[in-house]
Amino acid sequence: MKHHAVQLYEYHIWANERIFQQLKELPEEACRQEIQSIFSSVYSALVHIYTADHIWLYAMAGESFEKIREAIGGITEETNGKSAEELQQLFRTASERYKEFLAGLPDLDATTQYRHPTYGVLEARYSDIVQHVVNHGTYHRGNIAAMLRQQGYAGVPTDYVFYLYELSQQAQA
């Protein structure tokens, strides 16, 4: 049986894909239009989700805070100037890395330590960190929905329950 953390991460992938699919239906400028919000554009919110996903994957893999900080610079370079479609592909590639990492863990409920120079040491289960990654993405997808609404576009539902409905319909088909 699939661990709940894996299902939650699969929901995270599904919800991100829904956002990208919606963006393909909107004028190209909807993604990059500068607006007064928590992020300067939908694109910058997506890059933030992408960056945070990487940070936590590196952290779960045992990378030091310093190495993770270095990697963020590479992520900034990697996403700079990309189209929404190219960013979607980066998300897909990152998702594959996540799935491989999670599949390689013998116990998603095992704990490990995360060291941060300001916050100290956190001992948490891998599944807790996956939950955090998913919650973080959910929060910012909500920001994206609000930002698109600000521009006059309808949001796309990405609630977990809609993912569950879709899974249920697929199982019945």
Side-chain angles (χ1 to χ4, degrees):
M1 184 170 180
K2 187 184 300 185
H3 193 285
H4 185 63
V6 172
Q7 180 168 320
L8 285 175
Y9 188 74
E10 289 173 355
Y11 154 69
H12 182 63
I13 295 168
W14 173 88
N16 287 336
E17 282 291 320
R18 300 257 319 185
I19 295 293
F20 281 110
Q21 292 307 316
Q22 180 191 26
L23 290 174
K24 287 178 182 176
E25 296 171 13
L26 300 177
E28 196 173 311
E29 63 270 6
C31 189
R32 294 220 186 241
Q33 183 175 331
E34 296 267 331
I35 56 175
Q36 198 75 359
S37 189
I38 190 163
F39 293 99
S40 61
S41 67
V42 169
Y43 189 85
S44 62
L46 288 166
V47 168
H48 176 77
I49 294 169
Y50 181 76
T51 303
D53 283 7
H54 276 77
I55 289 169
W56 286 107
L57 180 58
Y58 293 142
M60 286 190 291
E63 294 292 345
S64 69
F65 180 82
E66 293 74 25
K67 283 241 185 207
I68 293 169
R69 242 173 64 188
E70 285 176 29
I72 292 170
I75 292 167
T76 302
E77 294 268 330
E78 179 183 39
T79 58
N80 191 27
K82 298 284 192 245
S83 68
E85 196 169 315
E86 289 169 321
L87 187 58
Q88 180 183 23
Q89 189 54 51
L90 291 175
F91 266 79
R92 288 175 176 165
T93 301
S95 296
E96 289 304 315
R97 277 183 259 165
Y98 249 95
K99 289 192 289 188
E100 286 173 20
F101 177 80
L102 296 175
L105 289 173
D107 182 6
L108 283 161
D109 291 318
T111 61
T112 191
Q113 292 187 342
Y114 304 91
R115 298 183 186 283
H116 190 279
T118 303
Y119 302 115
V121 177
L122 170 68
E123 188 156 318
R125 297 176 300 172
Y126 291 103
S127 58
D128 291 330
I129 301 304
V130 172
Q131 177 73 60
H132 168 69
V133 167
V134 173
N135 285 351
H136 178 264
T138 299
Y139 176 76
H140 290 306
R141 284 186 295 272
N143 295 146
I144 290 169
M147 293 164 74
L148 289 171
R149 173 80 56 200
Q150 235 181 301
Q151 294 180 60
Y153 305 111
V156 61
T158 59
D159 294 43
Y160 184 63
V161 74
F162 294 121
Y163 169 74
L164 293 176
Y165 274 120
E166 191 171 301
L167 286 181
S168 176
Q169 290 168 354
Q170 289 171 356
Q172 294 171 13

